[in-house]
Amino acid sequence: MREEADETTREGERLTFRIRDEIDAADARREARRLAERHGFGAVRAYCLATVVSELAHNLVFHASDGGLIRIRARTEESAPAIEVEATDDGPGIRDLALAMQDGWSTAGSLGCGLPGTRRLTDEFEITSALGVGTRVTCAVRKQ
Ligand SMILES: Nc1ncnc2c1ncn2[C@@H]1O[C@H](COP(=O)(O)OP(=O)(O)O)[C@@H](O)[C@H]1O
Ligand SMILES: [Mg+2]
């Protein structure tokens, strides 16, 4: 499910981060927040975006076998400005998506709030996963 990209790249208002560890996750979080601020997002919306990126990146670190990619893109259409986030990996996949989307459900003994929290913080949310193939989460936070 993951396109090949060996390095973190920045092309205009599209950022791509290869996430392998918590330092990568922190970088992605910080840059997401900066992108939101550059695009005139208020502090609360920028914080939502940063939190979403952090949760999805941590899932790549802790649940995908070899990390994954986070792509962040500013949608500049005047009518509906938003920032899109896509997290992809070719890790083990999720057996039961309905369970994974429940608060407090974790196979890692952690809080189990990352995915349901991400759904609540975003205006668009989609998750697909296939066992042995990988997981893709796409979501978007609107400017207002
Ligand atoms: N990228 C992923 N690949 C495989 N499993 C995942 C991935 N993201 C989430 N999961 C599964 O969904 C569960 C819930 O995720 P989440 O809500 O973020 O809670 P937590 O990370 O605290 O376990 C995880 O425990 C894990 O089993
Ligand atoms: Mg998590």
Side-chain angles (χ1 to χ4, degrees):
M1 275 202 186
R2 191 171 73 195
E3 291 170 24
E4 282 313 308
D6 291 333
E7 290 180 2
T8 294
T9 56
R10 292 175 193 197
E11 299 157 8
E13 293 306 287
R14 182 178 176 124
L15 311 177
T16 302
F17 299 90
R18 176 171 285 282
I19 308 292
R20 291 193 183 89
D21 57 30
E22 292 184 70
I23 294 169
D24 298 334
D27 286 345
R29 178 187 208 285
R30 186 188 59 246
E31 294 302 323
R33 191 172 188 162
R34 286 192 182 150
L35 181 72
E37 284 165 357
R38 276 207 299 286
H39 283 265
F41 281 51
V44 173
R45 304 302 281 173
Y47 184 82
C48 284
L49 178 79
T51 302
V52 161
V53 167
S54 179
E55 289 298 335
L56 294 177
H58 278 95
N59 282 353
L60 296 177
V61 175
F62 292 113
H63 306 306
S65 24
D66 188 28
L69 291 179
I70 296 265
R71 292 194 181 84
I72 308 172
R73 186 180 82 91
R75 253 188 228 158
T76 48
E77 293 89 323
E78 291 276 316
S79 55
I83 292 179
E84 293 171 1
V85 180
E86 180 189 52
T88 53
D89 65 70
D90 50 13
I94 299 175
R95 185 171 299 277
D96 186 333
L97 275 182
L99 271 181
M101 293 308 302
Q102 281 181 20
D103 277 307
W105 192 85
S106 173
T107 55
S110 38
L111 287 180
C113 298
L115 289 177
T118 294
R119 179 157 65 183
R120 284 192 290 270
L121 288 172
T122 51
D123 300 292
E124 297 163 30
F125 179 92
E126 208 176 296
I127 182 166
T128 56
S129 191
L131 279 184
V133 179
T135 300
R136 165 177 278 128
V137 179
T138 53
C139 57
V141 175
R142 290 193 200 121
K143 188 169 170 181
Q144 265 125 17

